[in-house]
């Protein structure tokens, strides 16, 4: 597994050259998960990637994301809205992904799995 960094995202690569976001290090309130990082397709958001982020309010997740890890957004207290693609029923969203997101009002595209 290879590790890489791209602006505010740290990621790992699987053997197929696909990226999994492992850490978000930015301070934006609106975050758009990229479809690619340094040319590698993004297929997932790893466990605890955004955990304890106090700034993020809105996140948009593209259709290329297939997996969102356990506790990925755990205790993101300011998070209010998660925009998922229309095909979000094909995204594996782990239990407890949004635990502690006390201001979460809406996730479009799927039911909240908390």
């Amino acid at each position: 597994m290879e590790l890489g960094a791209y602006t505010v995202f740290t990621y790992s690569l699987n053997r197929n050259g696909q990226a999994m976001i492992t850490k978000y290090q930015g301070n934006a309130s609106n975050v758009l998960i990229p479809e690619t990082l340094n040319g590698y397709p993004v297929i997932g958001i790893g466990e605890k990637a955004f955990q304890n982020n106090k700034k993020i309010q809105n996140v948009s997740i593209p259709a290329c994301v297939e997996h969102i890890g356990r506790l990925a957004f755990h205790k993101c207290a300011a998070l209010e809205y998660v925009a998922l693609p229309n095909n979000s029923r094909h995204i594996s969203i782990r239990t407890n992904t949004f635990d502690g997101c006390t201001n979460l009002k809406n996730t479009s595209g799927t039911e909240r799995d908390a």
Side-chain angles (χ1 to χ4, degrees), residues 62-100:
C64 59
V65 171
E66 300 171 356
H67 173 80
I68 302 174
R70 192 174 136 292
L71 303 171
F73 295 93
H74 182 244
K75 293 189 178 179
C76 291
L79 185 60
E80 295 180 3
Y81 185 77
V82 178
L84 297 164
N86 289 336
N87 71 339
S88 62
R89 65 179 158 266
H90 301 293
I91 297 175
S92 169
I93 301 175
R94 296 292 307 266
T95 306
N96 304 327
T97 296
F98 299 103
D99 272 8

Side-chain angles (χ1 to χ4, degrees), residues 43-57:
I43 62 161
I45 300 169
E47 288 189 13
K48 302 178 182 178
F50 288 80
Q51 185 176 28
N52 294 315
N53 183 293
K54 306 296 184 218
K55 302 273 187 185
I56 187 171
Q57 294 176 342

